[in-house]
Amino acid sequence: MINWNNLDTLKSFQKLKDAKHIDLVKAMSGENGAERVGKYSVPMAEGMVYNYAAKEIDDDILSTLAELAEEAQLADKFKALYEGEVVNTGEKRMVLHQLTRGQLGKDVIADGVNKREFYLTEQKRIAEFAGKVHSGEIANAAGEKFTTVVQIGIGGSDLGPRAMYLALENWAKKHDTFKMEAKFISNVDPDDASAVLNSIDVAHSLFILVSKSGTTLETLTNQSFVMDALKKAGLNPAKHMIAVTSETSPLAHSDDFITAFYMDDYIGGRYSSTSGVGGAVLSLAFGPEVFAAFLDGAAAEDKLAANRDLFKNPSMLDALIGVYERNVLGYPSTTVLPYSQALNRFPAHLQQLDMESNGKSVNRFGEPIDYVTGPVIFGEPGTNGQHSFYQLLHQGTDIVPLQFIGFRNSQLENDVDIQGSTSQQKLCANVVAQIVAFACGKTDENLNKNFKGGRPSSIIIGDEVDPKTLGALLAHFENKVMFQGFVWNINSFDQEGVQLGKTLAKKVLAHETEGALTAYSRLFNI
Amino acid sequence: MINWNNLDTLKSFQKLKDAKHIDLVKAMSGENGAERVGKYSVPMAEGMVYNYAAKEIDDDILSTLAELAEEAQLADKFKALYEGEVVNTGEKRMVLHQLTRGQLGKDVIADGVNKREFYLTEQKRIAEFAGKVHSGEIANAAGEKFTTVVQIGIGGSDLGPRAMYLALENWAKKHDTFKMEAKFISNVDPDDASAVLNSIDVAHSLFILVSKSGTTLETLTNQSFVMDALKKAGLNPAKHMIAVTSETSPLAHSDDFITAFYMDDYIGGRYSSTSGVGGAVLSLAFGPEVFAAFLDGAAAEDKLAANRDLFKNPSMLDALIGVYERNVLGYPSTTVLPYSQALNRFPAHLQQLDMESNGKSVNRFGEPIDYVTGPVIFGEPGTNGQHSFYQLLHQGTDIVPLQFIGFRNSQLENDVDIQGSTSQQKLCANVVAQIVAFACGKTDENLNKNFKGGRPSSIIIGDEVDPKTLGALLAHFENKVMFQGFVWNINSFDQEGVQLGKTLAKKVLAHETEGALTAYSRLFNI
């Protein structure tokens, strides 16, 4: 029997609030620090580890977090989710994105369909389609191969797939699996579509229109933009465009597309990178085998997330430490800092994943709650961030928990030795140095050069950004966000907060406004 | 006589803390809201306006902010700064970036040199050099024109120039002033340099090495990377590379470069976009006239910042409202949301500008302070953000002040009419709708669909992102950050918080570590 209770009703949460805080500077200094680095580490999938030595935890706090995991029934709730319970209470929907990459429990039947089989079928259809595009069996009107793929989508149809594409672009080039360049059009700003269209050869471009509902205004507008460009070039838009949508959308079974691939309402936009939303563009760009490996990595990480033992479940542990930082220590934001240029846009994806899922003020039953939920998430790749906003992280008046991500090897394996070390070694040395600098600080009589330390971080370490590790990383954060939503007793799978803006924008365009809306509209001459 | 006092010693700050808070929902609803939109607006340079109607202010609070501006002597402090007082107390340096684009007060002489003349001379030298590159007078060994310019720099040598390049790239193409494509190498991750080098024709590429000190490890490492690539292609690196540095740096007067352009210690990295750091790459990419127009816009905005009347000084007003939000209302972060794809990376630049300048815990005399300083800054372009993290902004448990930026016209003027409106009209309608949605909210019995409102924003509105408006925007935020630093009585012009990480990274590379540093190094096999 699963109980959905607010965090502040749980005994273990009261205990957590009463637990003695640790002195991170002391804990991470000297041999004690080295011991913690060895001890506070949990394996992730694909040879990665989640190391939480530099977090403000000790054995006492960890055991209370384990009690909280039990009391909040996190493992049971995850099991209920992947076995098809209607966890998205707001929209009365199942939450099935894990099924796009594996099956952890019993079959899930919805609308009379085995959903795992449905997602697998779509993956296979995409693989076959991609194969035909790569072989030239599906080609443009002149019988020439498509060389570029352009994804038209916004939010979850853009950020995740774009981040994944950028993460694997150089890896694929290095491993001779790079098939087609991908571009992305998202913003309703006409300069976005115009600039992308100016940069490509439309006659050799295949467009993927991605909208689950088939009604996303930005995406439909950009579809028209692209169709205009194709027509102006004397091309038939229907021969240059595919759709990724739900079977009930206006885009399904339409003559406007070469074909359509399907997802459904059980996969939220921000959780859709492992569905056809990511699958079409990644399979076309890198080949279906690369996309399959990406799914394997995600599935392997999902398996760990199903573990009932907190200390063998990296995403659950990450989630609970985050709750401790947010609800006990009171930190309002978290920064994601990948020491990898390939993960350039990974923080932007996590920003949506986390803030759209857990930026909520009511519980899953629509009742107000009396504690804070999702933090602000932001980040840029290291070492760039070091030369930008790290000043505030080191010496600012607020503490911002840090999530580092680092890899032992570069993707392209092209490197130079300068001053006795390679660039990759310098990159790794920097992230190591930062963890300790943030945790331990350094005393200086000149307070302007003094570092108080006590700034907590964790790090995920792997060998290389490749399809499997990337899939595992993605699933880790998806599951972390899910577990935090369970702890906060909120619905992490709807997004009612985006509706009001849409409604008012329509009123502005229809000139059905008054008051401030009219006054601002006049400033824009609309 | 200027007094540098801590914020919490000022009478007007006590008064501000005691001021009655406003009810933003009520204030912005109905005709009262329309009246505020008309009233709470101040002209910026280049036809732009800063509208603060949707901030949590009223006439009472504004008059107290005006008292605070007086008591903190903000106008006097700015005057002292631009006339050469040693405002950067930590490093004992003047702060002269405004002189790169104009002169507001008396001549500034440093090291026996008239600094305005020095910066102008460098700008002219860059313009002449760019002209010769464009004409082919300066060319590669085969006498062929350079077609690509690659900036090698990190932090302020990367984020600002990159954001400005991206902001004007399409504008320049539209206005036939686009001369050369620009690329940027910043990260010490070897995959960054490798990917850029793989994407260009090195034989026709001109590289700009940017480092004020000439000792930035990432930049020197990437220089070697590029030199290796040039040598492997059988080219002479010294014929493909220029430097932007200080006259005292090891890069100055070196045979490794075609030529060098100079800045000095009075221009901080994050304030250097209007110096040669931005000037070389922007003049080469778009022509010196475009860079000169960009400087004109910045100079025009600086003039407004010198205004003693708070209500005619948009950056001072923006700064003080931010202080009210941070130190009285207690909001820990601010988000920057340009409704313009051209300003894609402008938030990343502002993130450095603001967080590196004002993320400080000691005052300008090195004494601890008892109030919070710079907030976390993050942002992405709208409408993309609407489909990402806006959920938390609308319905999350924390309030995040919003800085919108919008323009009446697109850059490329290529648009489509869908459902009775153009994309540009949709873009503008969305930002208008968001301001009111955040401020006023909407009551719903289903609390999951309820919007409390009361979420403050301001908006900067202009006609178009062009060189002049971009320069004015940049200067607005530089001056806002400066005024906030004055109010907090901190030094916004040093960055001691980045030093410890550098020192420890060197130790890691030299294997001179113990404890946690050694333990983490082992995890990375370094």
Side-chain angles (χ1 to χ4, degrees):
Chain A
M1 168 78 190
I2 291 178
N3 299 303
W4 300 95
N5 293 319
N6 284 1
L7 174 61
D8 53 4
T9 66
L10 303 184
K11 282 182 192 166
S12 49
F13 179 62
Q14 300 306 322
K15 192 171 167 187
L16 189 65
K17 287 203 289 186
D18 296 337
K20 190 165 180 286
H21 296 193
I22 76 150
D23 178 341
L24 190 60
V25 175
K26 205 173 147 193
M28 286 299 289
S29 296
E31 281 314 302
N32 196 39
E35 199 187 312
R36 282 173 66 98
V37 177
K39 182 176 163 185
Y40 291 137
S41 184
V42 52
M44 293 172 60
E46 309 304 343
M48 297 194 291
V49 295
Y50 171 71
N51 191 297
Y52 51 103
K55 286 290 193 185
E56 292 175 84
I57 49 84
D58 60 12
D59 291 347
D60 277 352
I61 292 168
L62 287 170
S63 77
T64 309
L65 292 178
E67 287 173 41
L68 180 53
E70 278 296 318
E71 193 179 358
Q73 299 174 292
L74 299 187
D76 296 318
K77 287 173 183 170
F78 182 35
K79 186 163 186 287
L81 180 147
Y82 62 69
E83 292 192 337
E85 189 161 315
V86 177
V87 168
N88 178 353
T89 44
E91 299 173 313
K92 299 189 175 51
R93 291 174 181 167
M94 300 178 181
V95 175
L96 300 181
H97 54 271
Q98 275 100 352
L99 282 183
T100 59
R101 58 227 190 191
Q103 182 141 13
L104 288 167
K106 62 185 182 190
D107 282 352
V108 179
I109 313 295
D111 317 322
V113 173
N114 180 316
K115 297 312 293 187
R116 169 66 182 153
E117 284 175 17
F118 169 69
Y119 299 136
L120 260 181
T121 301
E122 292 306 304
Q123 189 195 336
K124 279 181 197 156
R125 288 184 60 227
I126 288 171
E128 282 168 21
F129 178 81
K132 287 180 187 172
V133 170
H134 298 152
S135 72
E137 187 178 335
I138 293 173
N140 71 7
E144 296 156 341
K145 280 191 188 182
F146 290 114
T147 56
T148 304
V149 52
V150 183
Q151 176 119 330
I152 309 169
I154 194 165
S157 303
D158 171 58
L159 289 164
R162 192 193 294 250
M164 302 307 132
Y165 173 78
L166 293 173
L168 296 178
E169 184 180 13
N170 289 319
W171 181 92
K173 285 177 179 167
K174 175 77 184 174
H175 291 82
D176 294 328
T177 66
F178 188 81
K179 311 287 184 188
M180 301 166 77
E181 190 182 23
K183 301 256 183 177
F184 296 83
I185 298 174
S186 53
N187 202 330
V188 77
D189 182 342
D191 288 339
D192 187 16
S194 297
V196 171
L197 288 168
N198 286 344
S199 76
I200 60 171
D201 168 14
V202 289
H204 297 88
S205 295
L206 182 66
F207 296 85
I208 312 176
L209 190 73
V210 188
S211 171
K212 186 166 60 177
S213 66
T215 62
T216 314
L217 184 64
E218 284 90 341
T219 300
L220 296 183
T221 301
N222 281 321
Q223 177 193 12
S224 297
F225 225 107
V226 166
M227 286 174 70
D228 271 15
L230 286 163
K231 284 178 202 160
K232 275 182 199 155
L235 300 162
N236 177 0
K239 296 293 178 193
H240 282 260
M241 209 174 273
I242 63 173
V244 177
T245 189
S246 70
E247 287 179 288
T248 54
S249 107
L251 306 179
H253 314 293
S254 158
D255 291 339
D256 288 346
F257 306 103
I258 302 171
T259 187
F261 301 106
Y262 299 112
M263 56 181 314
D264 58 35
D265 283 342
Y266 312 125
I267 297 177
R270 56 194 176 274
Y271 296 94
S272 67
S273 290
T274 54
S275 78
V277 172
V281 64
L282 296 176
S283 297
L284 284 161
F286 308 136
E289 302 76 15
V290 170
F291 182 64
F294 170 68
L295 297 186
D296 288 346
E301 196 64 40
D302 286 343
K303 268 189 199 163
L304 295 178
N307 216 316
R308 288 183 174 272
D309 180 347
L310 177 63
F311 302 104
K312 292 179 179 168
N313 187 329
S315 59
M316 193 189 284
L317 190 54
D318 193 355
L320 285 166
I321 294 171
V323 167
Y324 177 63
E325 290 176 332
R326 182 84 172 120
N327 298 92
V328 179
L329 301 176
Y331 304 146
S333 59
T334 291
T335 181
V336 182
L337 305 162
Y339 276 65
S340 162
Q341 192 63 22
L343 297 182
N344 198 13
R345 291 296 287 170
F346 196 68
H349 172 61
L350 295 190
Q351 189 173 56
Q352 176 187 20
L353 178 66
D354 203 323
M355 293 174 72
E356 195 170 32
S357 295
N358 290 340
K360 310 280 165 74
S361 298
V362 296
N363 71 10
R364 53 190 294 105
F365 308 111
E367 300 157 350
I369 47 175
D370 286 331
Y371 43 84
V372 293
T373 58
V376 162
I377 303 287
F378 68 100
E380 292 284 335
T383 53
N384 294 359
Q386 291 177 205
H387 290 261
S388 169
F389 54 85
Y390 276 36
Q391 164 67 39
L392 182 145
L393 304 182
H394 277 291
Q395 292 188 317
T397 47
D398 291 359
I399 287 181
V400 180
L402 312 118
Q403 173 64 66
F404 292 107
I405 304 171
F407 299 90
R408 296 179 191 94
N409 307 316
S410 68
Q411 288 185 314
L412 291 169
E413 294 173 25
N414 179 29
D415 212 329
V416 286
D417 197 299
I418 309 288
Q419 299 175 9
S421 59
T422 64
S423 286
Q424 185 64 29
Q425 286 168 332
K426 290 185 185 76
L427 185 67
C428 297
N430 270 282
V431 68
V432 165
Q434 290 295 338
I435 297 171
V436 177
F438 279 114
C440 298
K442 186 180 75 68
T443 305
D444 197 303
E445 282 188 15
N446 176 349
L447 290 188
N448 198 31
K449 296 174 191 285
N450 188 64
F451 292 77
K452 282 186 192 161
R455 309 204 171 211
S457 69
S458 59
I459 183 164
I460 292 172
I461 302 175
D463 278 332
E464 187 192 349
V465 180
D466 64 23
K468 288 193 172 187
T469 56
L470 184 67
L473 259 185
L474 177 78
H476 172 85
F477 286 103
E478 287 182 359
N479 294 328
K480 173 193 168 178
V481 166
M482 169 193 72
F483 283 127
Q484 291 191 329
F486 289 158
V487 175
W488 288 321
N489 204 31
I490 59 179
N491 177 9
S492 303
F493 305 102
D494 67 355
Q495 53 283 324
E496 292 294 342
V498 308
Q499 297 304 330
L500 178 57
K502 284 187 199 176
T503 308
L504 294 186
K506 277 183 194 160
K507 284 191 183 173
V508 172
L509 288 169
H511 302 287
E512 294 167 356
T513 59
E514 53 180 17
L517 275 178
T518 305
Y520 281 116
S521 298
R522 281 189 193 135
L523 291 181
F524 276 103
N525 302 338
I526 50 170
Chain B
M1 169 77 189
I2 292 178
N3 298 303
W4 299 95
N5 292 320
N6 284 1
L7 174 61
D8 53 4
T9 67
L10 304 184
K11 282 181 193 169
S12 50
F13 179 61
Q14 299 307 321
K15 192 171 167 187
L16 190 65
K17 287 203 290 186
D18 296 337
K20 189 164 181 283
H21 297 191
I22 76 149
D23 178 341
L24 190 60
V25 175
K26 205 173 146 191
M28 286 300 288
S29 296
E31 280 315 301
N32 196 37
E35 196 187 314
R36 283 173 65 98
V37 176
K39 179 176 165 185
Y40 292 137
S41 184
V42 52
M44 293 174 59
E46 310 302 345
M48 297 193 293
V49 296
Y50 171 72
N51 191 297
Y52 51 103
K55 287 289 195 186
E56 291 173 85
I57 48 87
D58 60 11
D59 290 346
D60 277 351
I61 291 168
L62 287 170
S63 77
T64 309
L65 292 178
E67 287 174 39
L68 180 54
E70 278 296 318
E71 192 180 0
Q73 299 175 293
L74 298 186
D76 295 320
K77 286 173 184 171
F78 181 35
K79 185 163 188 288
L81 180 146
Y82 63 68
E83 291 192 339
E85 188 162 316
V86 177
V87 168
N88 178 352
T89 44
E91 299 173 313
K92 300 188 174 51
R93 291 173 181 167
M94 300 177 181
V95 175
L96 301 181
H97 54 270
Q98 276 100 352
L99 281 184
T100 59
R101 57 226 191 191
Q103 182 141 12
L104 289 167
K106 63 184 183 190
D107 282 353
V108 179
I109 314 294
D111 318 322
V113 173
N114 180 315
K115 296 311 294 186
R116 169 67 182 152
E117 285 176 16
F118 170 69
Y119 299 136
L120 260 182
T121 301
E122 292 305 305
Q123 189 196 335
K124 280 182 197 156
R125 289 184 59 226
I126 288 170
E128 282 168 22
F129 178 82
K132 287 179 184 173
V133 170
H134 298 152
S135 71
E137 186 179 335
I138 293 173
N140 73 6
E144 297 157 341
K145 281 191 187 180
F146 290 113
T147 56
T148 304
V149 53
V150 183
Q151 175 119 329
I152 308 168
I154 193 165
S157 303
D158 171 58
L159 289 165
R162 193 193 292 248
M164 302 307 131
Y165 173 78
L166 293 173
L168 295 178
E169 185 180 10
N170 289 319
W171 181 91
K173 285 177 179 167
K174 175 78 183 171
H175 291 82
D176 294 327
T177 66
F178 189 80
K179 310 287 185 186
M180 302 166 76
E181 189 181 24
K183 301 256 184 176
F184 295 83
I185 298 173
S186 54
N187 201 329
V188 77
D189 181 343
D191 288 338
D192 188 15
S194 298
V196 171
L197 288 168
N198 287 343
S199 75
I200 59 171
D201 167 15
V202 289
H204 297 88
S205 295
L206 181 66
F207 296 86
I208 312 177
L209 190 73
V210 188
S211 170
K212 185 165 62 177
S213 66
T215 61
T216 313
L217 184 62
E218 284 89 343
T219 301
L220 296 182
T221 301
N222 281 323
Q223 177 193 13
S224 297
F225 226 107
V226 167
M227 287 173 71
D228 271 16
L230 287 163
K231 283 178 201 162
K232 277 181 197 154
L235 300 163
N236 177 0
K239 297 292 179 193
H240 282 260
M241 209 174 272
I242 64 173
V244 177
T245 188
S246 69
E247 287 180 290
T248 54
S249 107
L251 306 179
H253 313 293
S254 158
D255 291 338
D256 287 347
F257 306 104
I258 302 171
T259 188
F261 301 105
Y262 299 112
M263 55 181 314
D264 58 35
D265 283 342
Y266 311 125
I267 297 176
R270 56 194 174 272
Y271 296 94
S272 67
S273 290
T274 52
S275 78
V277 171
V281 64
L282 296 176
S283 298
L284 284 161
F286 307 135
E289 301 76 15
V290 170
F291 182 65
F294 171 67
L295 297 186
D296 288 346
E301 196 65 39
D302 286 343
K303 268 190 200 162
L304 295 178
N307 215 316
R308 288 183 174 271
D309 181 348
L310 177 63
F311 302 104
K312 293 180 179 169
N313 187 328
S315 59
M316 194 189 282
L317 189 54
D318 193 355
L320 285 166
I321 294 171
V323 167
Y324 177 63
E325 290 175 331
R326 182 83 171 122
N327 297 93
V328 178
L329 302 176
Y331 304 145
S333 59
T334 292
T335 182
V336 182
L337 305 163
Y339 277 64
S340 161
Q341 192 63 20
L343 297 182
N344 198 13
R345 291 297 285 168
F346 196 68
H349 171 61
L350 295 190
Q351 189 174 56
Q352 175 186 21
L353 178 67
D354 202 323
M355 293 174 71
E356 196 170 32
S357 294
N358 290 341
K360 310 281 166 71
S361 299
V362 296
N363 72 9
R364 52 192 293 105
F365 308 111
E367 298 157 352
I369 47 176
D370 286 331
Y371 44 84
V372 294
T373 57
V376 163
I377 303 287
F378 68 100
E380 292 285 335
T383 53
N384 294 359
Q386 290 178 203
H387 289 261
S388 169
F389 53 86
Y390 276 37
Q391 165 66 40
L392 183 144
L393 305 181
H394 277 290
Q395 292 188 319
T397 48
D398 291 0
I399 287 180
V400 179
L402 313 117
Q403 173 65 66
F404 291 107
I405 304 171
F407 299 89
R408 295 179 192 95
N409 306 316
S410 67
Q411 287 186 314
L412 291 170
E413 294 172 24
N414 179 27
D415 212 330
V416 286
D417 197 299
I418 311 288
Q419 297 175 9
S421 59
T422 64
S423 287
Q424 185 63 29
Q425 285 168 334
K426 290 185 184 75
L427 185 67
C428 296
N430 270 282
V431 68
V432 164
Q434 291 294 337
I435 297 171
V436 177
F438 278 115
C440 299
K442 183 180 78 67
T443 305
D444 196 302
E445 281 189 16
N446 177 348
L447 290 187
N448 198 31
K449 296 175 191 284
N450 188 62
F451 292 77
K452 283 186 194 162
R455 310 205 170 209
S457 69
S458 59
I459 183 162
I460 292 172
I461 302 175
D463 277 333
E464 187 192 349
V465 181
D466 65 23
K468 288 193 173 188
T469 55
L470 184 67
L473 260 185
L474 178 78
H476 172 85
F477 286 103
E478 288 182 1
N479 294 328
K480 172 193 169 178
V481 166
M482 169 194 73
F483 283 127
Q484 290 192 329
F486 288 158
V487 174
W488 288 321
N489 203 31
I490 60 179
N491 177 8
S492 303
F493 305 102
D494 66 356
Q495 54 282 325
E496 292 294 342
V498 307
Q499 297 303 329
L500 178 57
K502 285 187 197 176
T503 308
L504 294 185
K506 278 184 193 160
K507 284 190 182 175
V508 171
L509 288 169
H511 302 287
E512 293 167 357
T513 59
E514 54 180 17
L517 275 178
T518 304
Y520 281 116
S521 299
R522 281 191 192 132
L523 291 182
F524 276 102
N525 301 337
I526 50 169

